[in-house]
Amino acid sequence: MIRVLIADDHAIVREGLKQIVSEIPDMVVVDEAIDGDEALRKARADTWDVLVLDLAMPGRSGIDILGHLKSEGLQRPVLVLSMHAEEMYAVRVLKAGASGYLTKDSTPYELVKAIRKVLSGGKYVSASLAETLVQRLDATSERPLHEALSQREFQVLCMMASGQTITGIADELSLSVKTVSTYRARILEKLNLSSNAEAIRYAVDHQLVD
């Protein structure tokens, strides 16, 4: 029996996922988490085989959770589920330690297929994203500037663009205000920007935030 842990802050999404899994004879949802902190705590328990993880949750983000699990040596697969288009986040979450990336408008069949794929040790992205990545390798145009950001810099950029203050970001990430300010300075430098307002506009224009 494949044991699935679901982490998503929307009850309707969790119920939908549980319904899909319940219809598969060899799969069962063993637990669920409603925010990032609960997801990290439950992910540390040896009670599941595949974690279906929302990218954006209260508390800790999916990227932050992946970073913790990776640093703690967790070997079990994590399938990230997000409303964001694959080309915006998939490569980044795979680099952060996820085994697959799926958008929330995917079919139930694709979800089950993705769970089986990552459980077998493979990586899962949709066929359309795979084609896009191949095209990128062949393209001569420059990549978006934000792809040069580190995982933490990218996370801080998204939090800034969501309206959080430097102090609020520092509290949520358990960092000092000085450290977050340093990340902010690096972000502005790498993106060739000069203010928070420009950073927010950049994130919106590139669909990095809702």
Side-chain angles (χ1 to χ4, degrees):
M1 187 67 70
I2 300 171
R3 302 169 299 170
V4 181
L5 170 62
I6 294 173
D8 195 292
D9 59 315
H10 294 97
I12 193 169
V13 174
R14 295 196 306 275
E15 290 303 316
L17 292 172
K18 286 190 290 185
Q19 178 63 34
I20 292 170
V21 171
S22 70
E23 296 176 357
I24 308 302
D26 63 339
M27 292 186 185
V28 61
V29 173
V30 292
D31 207 348
E32 57 187 281
I34 64 173
D35 59 43
D37 293 322
E38 185 177 33
L40 181 58
R41 185 176 72 254
K42 292 188 174 182
R44 286 168 168 153
D46 187 22
T47 57
W48 55 274
D49 301 307
V50 177
L51 167 59
V52 178
L53 177 67
D54 186 17
L55 188 61
M57 289 185 292
R60 299 178 185 273
S61 71
I63 291 285
D64 195 29
I65 292 169
L66 287 168
H68 278 281
L69 297 179
K70 186 176 182 178
S71 66
E72 293 170 17
L74 179 75
Q75 300 299 316
R76 283 165 288 167
V78 178
L79 175 63
V80 169
L81 191 65
S82 172
M83 66 173 56
H84 296 287
E86 289 177 301
E87 59 268 22
M88 298 301 170
Y89 281 95
V91 173
R92 190 168 291 274
V93 299
L94 291 173
K95 287 182 178 179
S99 297
Y101 188 95
L102 200 63
T103 57
K104 290 185 177 180
D105 59 359
S106 301
T107 65
Y109 168 79
E110 194 164 10
L111 172 66
V112 174
K113 179 182 176 181
I115 290 174
R116 295 194 188 283
K117 178 73 171 181
V118 300
L119 186 62
S120 70
K123 299 289 185 181
Y124 186 87
V125 295
S126 71
S128 60
L129 177 61
E131 183 177 350
T132 299
L133 296 179
V134 170
Q135 291 173 349
R136 277 193 189 180
L137 292 175
D138 295 334
T140 56
S141 58
E142 294 184 359
R143 296 186 305 167
L145 293 176
H146 62 264
E147 291 192 9
L149 299 177
S150 68
Q151 295 289 1
R152 184 64 87 184
E153 289 165 353
F154 184 78
Q155 184 178 17
V156 170
L157 170 63
C158 292
M159 294 174 78
M160 288 169 53
S162 297
Q164 293 186 243
T165 64
I166 296 298
T167 300
I169 295 172
D171 290 341
E172 184 167 331
L173 299 181
S174 299
L175 299 172
S176 69
V177 171
K178 182 178 180 180
T179 298
V180 175
S181 295
T182 298
Y183 282 128
R184 172 190 172 277
R186 290 177 184 169
I187 291 166
L188 296 180
E189 180 181 359
K190 290 182 178 181
L191 300 184
N192 298 321
L193 305 174
S194 59
S195 67
N196 284 10
E198 290 185 2
I200 293 171
R201 173 51 56 189
Y202 180 96
V204 171
D205 289 345
H206 288 80
Q207 301 178 350
L208 303 181
V209 293
D210 300 334

